[in-house]
Amino acid sequence: MRSSRIIALAAAVSSAVACDSCYRPASEVVHERLVRRIQPESQDSSIDPRAPLEWGQLNFLHTTDTHGWLEGHLKEQNYGADWGDFVSFQRHMKQKAGNLAVDLLVIDTGDLHDGAGLSDAALPNGVLSNPIFDEIDYDVLTIGNHELYVSEIAYEHFYNFSKVWGDKYVTSNVQILNPATGVFDYIGAKYRYFSTAHGLRIMTFGVLFDFTGNSNVSKVIKAADMVKQQWFLDAVNYDQPIDLFLLVGHNPVSRSDFANTLGLVHSTIRALRPDTPVQAFGGHSHIRDFRVYDDKSTALESGRYCETLGWLSISGIKSSSYTGLMQPRGVANPSRPATNTSTSGLVYSRRYLDWNRRTFEYHATNSQASTFDYHSGLRVSSDITAVRKKLNLTSLYGCAPETYCASCKPFGAAGNIFTLIPLALGATVINASRSDVARYIIINSGSIRFDLVKGPFTYDDSFIVSPFNDAFQYIPSVPYNMARKVLAGLNGAVLPDKRSEGLVYSSMPQLKDSCVDPTISLITGSTSELKTRGITRRQSITTPGYVTTDDFGTDGDDTPHTKIPSYTQPNYIQGNASFPTDGTNPDVVDVVFFDYFASVVVKVLNGFGGAYTMADVQYYVDQSYTAQNYLPDYAKLEWQANVPNCPVGEGVGYDE
């Protein structure tokens, strides 16, 4: 839709990032290497899905939390498709729905950037990736919290993104200050009432969880307040027939999740419309999940990072205007009621598809790869390649000698990224004027948002693994007996309110100018719905990947996998340097930390008898040196073996 602007924008941005910046100096010497990719010719999965999809009266494809991963996972076969492959796939599926005389809706539930270089290496984040994202023929979209941290990004969505999508972009509880009028307007539509191709009449609401970390130009209305507003009550009691309520939200679908507000909206609708089906689609918690709300209501959540494409089908919706088939012929049909006692006549099917071409080809063309690609899909893949080149995302810092995962290995074990991080911090975070003073360098583990996979460590990977702009501050010359307790004190501390949701979804800094949601289960140690990945060897082997349990059981994963372990990690990690080589302890230590949790460090030190204030906090190195820089610098120091021909590993979950 906006692809004609992409290359021109890329050219403009490439000139903008050519100067010295927080991303990297223009004079920096890097190796150029084309990383293996399905972009457009790279590796793909060798394992077929377990069975064809079940098609019903109303069907959905669902994406969420894509976070800029539109190029796909360049070193992971399970998730190797790019956005152009998805463009071709959704066109096949729309055509198939038409041939079957049923409806297919394509849904997205927000968080479009903060996670990969394609979205984050350009300013404002998403300015180049959003036009690529727009190439999908979405029917309904809603906003995520990552669209609201930074005012410039919020206005990009108000002025540009929302104009592309019109009333399909539904933001029922999110407003923005309109500079032209001085009043708050809805970024998108408050609701959308529409009819499908075959006549189903649908009322749609888009509800963000009760997010409080937005910049001051936007406003998030709490769901509890929204459901009392007259416009909402009028929409629920609309003067036209409603066959189904559609709830889309950047919002966990599990009612037990503290951030879930979809349940409240559902309950409000159900109290007013007891007999109308309600279908919800969620996001934010980065998991595969399916929940049953009642005998006429379910909710689907479809993972993150272009690892998962959600599928849902429903039959049995009563409608006097529907002109399609209830049970399409020649394909499997949904057969499971929402509850064992349901008498509604509604039946459902859900599936979580791995994001790779083999999966897409299997479900679109019965594995006839030669007929899979549409011209539009190939064009989008070419656009992605061009933008990646303009942004220098393949610039190579070094070859990671093994895979370092965020949760698949115990803390302290080889292959755990938090075993690597202290080494990198000690080797790279150096104040030249104080390099001989012993130092502890402390980061929060949530600042690492993704695994570091064996193979080329590129400019793109620097965004993928550690995307923040958090700078290094310090308190100088802290008495050793006090400084040595800080790490333990922090690991018992509560993070600042700005990221209060972080202890479940993130322990990372959620600053207004740099924030990304985390690796789920990193902090909590939860193993259900764990994000897992792996590269297949041959058809006869079940590879590491997602193993999901939800309200319908354990058969939701489209491709069977073996489960990858998940281990609890500490909230904070510490490196050190310049300690006495004779084994004695120094008298004083510089305590270095990210600026985000500086106030917490001060409180912890004072709890040990200190008398520090924020006035004692200084920048340890230039504030342009951030969380994005230390791993690239470490790679240039320690990972030069095999450059530029880096061997790629088997992936997360394998013992290499």
Side-chain angles (χ1 to χ4, degrees):
M1 298 176 186
R2 292 192 284 175
S3 119
S4 60
R5 299 169 43 208
I6 295 174
I7 304 305
L9 279 169
V13 171
S14 68
S15 64
V17 299
C19 60
D20 287 359
S21 70
C22 62
Y23 295 110
R24 61 183 177 90
S27 59
E28 180 178 352
V29 177
V30 295
H31 302 277
E32 284 295 330
R33 179 183 185 274
L34 286 179
V35 180
R36 289 196 301 164
R37 48 191 166 79
I38 209 136
Q39 239 308 104
E41 73 279 349
S42 77
Q43 56 194 345
D44 192 17
S45 174
S46 60
I47 297 180
D48 283 332
R50 60 179 175 82
L53 297 172
E54 298 173 7
W55 285 81
Q57 173 190 15
L58 179 60
N59 308 275
F60 298 89
L61 290 172
H62 177 221
T63 58
T64 190
D65 295 89
T66 51
H67 284 286
W69 284 81
L70 308 187
E71 74 269 29
H73 291 240
L74 304 184
K75 290 174 280 189
E76 298 181 275
Q77 291 181 1
N78 283 356
Y79 317 110
D82 71 15
W83 204 250
D85 298 318
F86 182 38
V87 168
S88 293
F89 178 66
Q90 64 95 31
R91 285 197 61 180
H92 279 288
M93 297 298 275
K94 289 265 188 176
Q95 182 178 16
K96 189 170 184 177
N99 293 339
L100 292 171
V102 296
D103 286 316
L104 172 64
L105 302 179
V106 187
I107 309 292
D108 183 78
T109 48
D111 272 10
L112 307 187
H113 48 77
D114 295 339
L118 194 72
S119 61
D120 300 352
L123 295 176
N125 291 170
V127 68
L128 296 184
S129 57
N130 282 355
I132 295 171
F133 178 91
D134 290 344
E135 294 288 342
I136 294 298
D137 185 18
Y138 281 108
D139 296 281
V140 176
L141 311 90
T142 194
I143 199 165
N145 56 300
H146 281 260
E147 281 78 86
L148 299 176
Y149 285 108
V150 182
S151 296
E152 290 79 5
I153 294 171
Y155 279 122
E156 153 69 15
H157 281 259
F158 179 55
Y159 287 123
N160 297 319
F161 191 81
S162 68
K163 301 306 182 287
V164 170
W165 294 105
D167 69 349
K168 294 181 179 181
Y169 193 46
V170 186
T171 63
S172 302
N173 67 328
V174 181
Q175 299 176 330
I176 193 166
L177 182 66
N178 188 332
T181 63
V183 300
F184 280 90
D185 291 337
Y186 286 90
I187 292 180
K190 284 190 293 187
Y191 62 90
R192 184 185 182 212
Y193 178 79
F194 69 101
S195 294
T196 65
H198 292 92
L200 288 175
R201 296 156 299 191
I202 296 177
M203 175 60 75
T204 307
F205 301 108
V207 185
L208 178 64
F209 72 98
D210 291 345
F211 177 55
T212 59
N214 49 303
S215 75
N216 61 7
V217 304
S218 62
K219 181 189 300 184
V220 179
I221 301 165
K222 290 184 177 181
D225 296 326
M226 184 199 76
V227 298
K228 299 174 185 176
Q229 293 178 338
Q230 193 59 49
W231 74 262
F232 178 81
L233 298 173
D234 291 344
V236 173
N237 293 307
Y238 205 57
D239 59 3
Q240 299 295 317
I242 297 174
D243 299 320
L244 178 134
F245 285 97
L246 178 61
L247 300 184
V248 296
H250 196 74
N251 211 312
V253 298
S254 173
R255 288 181 183 267
S256 63
D257 191 300
F258 83 100
N260 169 276
T261 59
L262 290 175
L264 171 64
V265 180
H266 165 265
S267 297
T268 304
I269 294 171
R270 181 57 71 234
L272 297 170
R273 302 292 291 262
D275 299 320
T276 306
V278 180
Q279 181 56 51
F281 291 88
H284 183 61
S285 53
H286 293 186
I287 64 175
R288 295 179 173 185
D289 200 8
F290 178 79
R291 297 293 168 177
V292 173
Y293 288 173
D294 61 32
D295 67 335
K296 295 180 286 294
S297 307
T298 71
L300 182 73
E301 189 170 344
S302 302
R304 63 171 196 173
Y305 304 165
C306 292
E307 292 174 343
T308 301
L309 177 61
W311 171 263
L312 182 82
S313 58
I314 311 172
S315 288
I317 302 169
K318 297 178 177 66
S319 173
S320 61
S321 59
Y322 182 65
T323 60
L325 296 178
M326 193 75 71
Q327 301 289 344
R329 293 182 287 272
V331 291
N333 302 137
S335 59
R336 190 179 306 187
T339 66
N340 292 333
T341 59
S342 174
T343 59
S344 68
L346 293 165
V347 287
Y348 299 84
S349 171
R350 54 81 179 95
R351 196 85 66 85
Y352 310 106
L353 280 61
D354 282 357
W355 192 280
N356 60 65
R357 273 184 65 101
R358 192 177 185 96
T359 292
F360 291 170
E361 289 168 0
Y362 176 92
H363 290 304
T365 63
N366 296 321
S367 298
Q368 298 174 29
S370 62
T371 63
F372 176 74
D373 290 303
Y374 277 91
H375 179 269
S376 56
L378 294 174
R379 173 177 50 77
V380 171
S381 293
S382 295
D383 287 345
I384 293 170
T385 302
V387 172
R388 285 176 53 76
K389 182 177 180 180
K390 289 290 184 180
L391 294 174
N392 297 315
L393 294 181
T394 58
S395 296
L396 181 64
Y397 296 123
C399 299
E402 61 180 300
T403 291
Y404 302 92
C405 65
S407 60
C408 75
K409 298 288 183 70
F411 177 67
N416 180 304
I417 197 168
F418 300 114
T419 305
L420 169 72
I421 294 301
L423 301 176
L425 291 170
T428 62
V429 183
I430 302 170
N431 178 330
S433 67
R434 301 183 64 83
S435 60
D436 59 344
V437 179
R439 60 189 179 276
Y440 288 129
I441 311 105
I442 305 171
I443 69 166
N444 58 311
S445 56
S447 67
I448 300 298
R449 77 174 311 239
F450 204 72
D451 308 300
L452 197 164
V453 180
K454 179 180 178 180
F457 186 77
T458 65
Y459 182 41
D460 194 13
D461 290 299
S462 71
F463 291 97
I464 288 170
V465 178
S466 181
F468 307 122
N469 288 322
D470 300 326
F472 291 93
Q473 293 184 323
Y474 82 120
I475 297 176
S477 303
V478 176
Y480 170 76
N481 284 333
M482 188 180 297
R484 68 183 180 85
K485 303 174 185 176
V486 171
L487 181 65
L490 283 171
N491 277 318
V494 176
L495 292 174
D497 289 342
K498 178 57 66 178
R499 301 183 189 181
S500 59
E501 81 264 26
L503 289 179
V504 173
Y505 295 110
S506 170
S507 67
M508 64 182 62
Q510 302 278 359
L511 295 181
K512 291 182 179 181
D513 61 349
S514 75
C515 170
V516 192
D517 279 339
T519 301
I520 296 307
S521 302
L522 182 64
I523 305 306
T524 64
S526 169
T527 58
S528 63
E529 336 302 349
L530 172 66
K531 171 279 299 181
T532 50
R533 302 174 306 286
I535 294 177
T536 54
R537 295 172 179 168
R538 54 187 180 274
Q539 180 70 45
S540 60
I541 293 179
T542 302
T543 60
Y546 276 98
V547 177
T548 307
T549 300
D550 59 26
D551 278 1
F552 266 15
T554 59
D555 62 348
D557 295 311
D558 190 49
T559 302
H561 292 292
T562 55
K563 190 170 186 176
I564 297 175
S566 177
Y567 296 91
T568 301
Q569 310 295 326
N571 285 349
Y572 294 87
I573 309 297
Q574 175 177 278
N576 63 71
S578 299
F579 274 65
T581 58
D582 61 3
T584 61
N585 296 322
D587 293 329
V588 296
V589 178
D590 286 348
V591 179
V592 185
F593 41 83
F594 283 150
D595 51 6
Y596 150 61
F597 56 87
S599 62
V600 182
V601 174
V602 169
K603 291 177 182 178
V604 167
L605 283 170
N606 291 343
F608 296 138
Y612 296 99
T613 70
M614 289 298 293
D616 297 305
V617 176
Q618 310 167 41
Y619 282 100
Y620 184 69
V621 291
D622 190 281
Q623 66 185 91
S624 66
Y625 192 88
T626 72
Q628 287 186 350
N629 299 110
Y630 70 91
L631 280 172
D633 281 356
Y634 185 75
K636 286 181 281 186
L637 285 173
E638 301 292 340
W639 292 349
Q640 294 307 296
N642 299 312
V643 169
N645 300 308
C646 304
V648 178
E650 292 183 291
V652 175
Y654 290 92
D655 292 324
E656 300 184 58

